[in-house]
């Protein structure tokens, strides 16, 4: 059994690819690892909103050249529209104007929770700007005037899924792009670490052994408020997960959600949707998909098991 394990910097965070195969040579696995890095570099080059020269930054400034957009920008735009439509506007990648990047030191989660306002589920905006995103017959991404795109977690999930598309059937893989994970080749165990000190980790089994089930949930992602949490000048606390209806940080009673879905991008959207929807709706959302873990403000990690698939007999 040959193996390859490669860590790398990408999109402001860390990536890792772990490969194993009983039939592929070490050189072949190393080449696949290099191909994953190339995919991540391409996604970052085209879709970074922090690089003023990226295609996404030019698109957001209205400087897109005439003609077709790149495949990556087209995929991002379609993913953003799909995310908005399937989450009733909760996962809204057009909140670019409301996003704020802070250089303040990372705040303590317990302090932020103690000072946070009343908890409640987030809501979508009345004006659904993502509905204006479309791809023309010429392959050009179009949207209403003034609408910008935040690549955020969508680009990370997209990169993991694109890298997974390169993997041959005889390779077992786990590809992480800043925490968005694409897995394949058989069942794998994923440890969900607590967002707050003192919690007990939960282990999820993602996928099934070959032949055991035709459905293979191949993506895992975690969305949480603790990763980018800071204190404002007025003493209030903020994080990067916004309530679209207000443009302010969402405090829903959950501090993190890990979701399992059919791919890394789908898991990214599901995890964010569940966290913004609040605990009760989050359980229902995870059960309908591949399951996952809810992390509550008191430090409890609550595993949610996917509902069983019931196969009905079809009359002859």
């Amino acid at each position: 059994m040959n193996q390859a394990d490669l860590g790398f910097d990408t999109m402001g965070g860390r990536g890792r690819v772990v490969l194993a195969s009983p039939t592929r040579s070490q050189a072949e696995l190393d080449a696949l690892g290099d191909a994953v890095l190339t995919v991540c570099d391409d996604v970052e080059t085209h879709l970074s909103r922090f690089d003023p020269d990226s295609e996404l930054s030019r698109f957001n400034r209205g400087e897109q050249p005439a003609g077709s957009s790149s495949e990556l920008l087209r995929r991002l735009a379609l993913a953003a529209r799909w995310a908005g439509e399937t989450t009733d506007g909760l996962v809204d990648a057009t909140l670019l104007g409301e996003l704020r990047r802070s250089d303040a030191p990372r705040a303590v989660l317990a302090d932020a929770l103690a000072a946070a306002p009343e908890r409640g589920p987030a809501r979508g905006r009345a004006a659904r700007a993502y509905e204006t995103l479309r791809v023309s017959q010429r392959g050009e991404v179009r949207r209403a005037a003034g609408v910008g795109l935040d690549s955020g977690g969508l680009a990370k999930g997209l990169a993991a899924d694109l890298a997974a598309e390169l993997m041959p059937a005889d390779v077992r893989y786990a590809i992480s792009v800043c925490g968005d994970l694409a897995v394949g080749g058989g069942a794998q165990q994923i440890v969900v670490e607590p967002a707050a000190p003192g919690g007990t980790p939960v282990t999820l089994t993602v996928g099934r052994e070959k032949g055991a089930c035709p459905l293979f949930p191949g993506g895992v992602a975690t969305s949480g408020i603790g990763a980018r949490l800071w204190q404002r000048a007025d003493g209030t606390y903020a994080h990067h997960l916004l309530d679209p209806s207000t443009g302010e940080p969402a405090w829903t009673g959950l501090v993190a959600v890990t979701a399992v879905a059919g791919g890394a991008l789908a898991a990214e959207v599901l995890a964010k949707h569940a966290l913004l929807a609040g605990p009760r709706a989050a359980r229902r959302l995870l059960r309908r998909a591949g399951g996952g873990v809810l992390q509550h403000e008191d430090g409890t990690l609550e595993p949610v098991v996917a509902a069983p698939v019931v196969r009905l007999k079809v009359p002859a």
Side-chain angles (χ1 to χ4, degrees):
M1 176 76 73
N2 288 319
Q3 299 182 359
D5 189 340
L6 177 64
F8 53 95
D9 293 323
T10 184
M11 303 186 199
R14 290 289 293 170
R16 185 182 179 190
V17 53
V18 180
L19 309 174
S21 175
T23 56
R24 300 278 170 170
S25 67
Q26 188 64 49
E28 288 177 305
L29 294 182
D30 291 341
L32 286 171
D34 291 338
V36 171
L37 266 67
T38 299
V39 168
C40 292
D41 286 344
D42 286 346
V43 171
E44 185 170 17
T45 297
H46 283 271
L47 303 182
S48 172
R49 71 180 179 90
F50 301 114
D51 178 1
D53 295 324
S54 72
E55 182 182 15
L56 177 62
S57 293
R58 297 196 305 272
F59 172 81
N60 286 337
R61 292 195 301 265
E63 300 172 1
Q64 186 181 20
S68 65
S69 306
S70 72
E71 180 184 355
L72 290 174
L73 184 59
R74 293 197 299 269
R75 285 204 182 203
L76 176 66
L78 294 175
R81 177 161 183 161
W82 169 80
E85 292 175 342
T86 58
T87 65
D88 195 25
L90 285 186
V91 181
D92 190 341
T94 64
L95 298 178
L96 192 60
E98 288 79 1
L99 287 171
R100 299 289 184 270
R101 189 176 185 181
S102 174
D103 295 326
R106 181 175 173 180
V108 177
L109 179 60
D111 294 341
L113 293 176
E118 183 179 357
R119 281 36 166 191
R123 302 184 307 277
R125 289 195 293 189
R128 308 292 174 96
Y130 54 81
E131 293 179 346
T132 70
L133 293 166
R134 64 191 189 280
V135 178
S136 70
Q137 291 184 343
R138 297 174 56 190
E140 183 179 13
V141 177
R142 296 178 179 174
R143 85 289 198 204
V147 174
L149 268 178
D150 171 35
S151 50
L154 295 180
K156 297 165 186 175
L158 176 60
D161 285 342
L162 289 173
E165 292 177 5
L166 304 176
M167 298 297 122
D170 57 350
V171 173
R172 178 187 175 95
Y173 63 86
I175 301 168
S176 173
V177 181
C178 302
D180 282 12
L181 184 67
V183 297
Q188 302 190 44
Q189 292 195 328
I190 309 298
V191 178
V192 179
E193 297 290 347
T200 302
V202 173
T203 300
L204 296 175
T205 300
V206 182
R208 297 181 183 274
E209 295 297 343
K210 188 176 180 181
C213 180
L215 175 64
F216 182 79
V220 184
T222 297
S223 184
I225 67 175
R228 289 165 57 190
L229 178 68
W230 66 93
Q231 190 172 22
R232 294 164 167 166
D234 63 0
T236 61
Y237 290 85
H239 57 78
H240 68 294
L241 294 176
L242 305 181
D243 182 335
S245 66
T246 64
E248 288 293 311
W251 304 94
T252 66
L254 295 171
V255 297
V257 173
T258 299
V260 180
L265 176 60
E268 164 72 27
V269 172
L270 176 60
K272 187 174 291 185
H273 184 191
L275 189 145
L276 292 173
R280 178 179 296 181
R283 294 185 188 96
R284 182 176 68 254
L285 291 168
L286 294 187
R287 287 194 189 105
R288 290 177 177 175
V293 179
L294 305 181
Q295 298 201 38
H296 298 271
E297 292 186 356
D298 64 359
T300 302
L301 275 69
E302 176 190 353
V304 179
V305 179
V309 177
V310 178
R311 300 188 181 280
L312 302 178
K313 292 183 179 180
V314 179

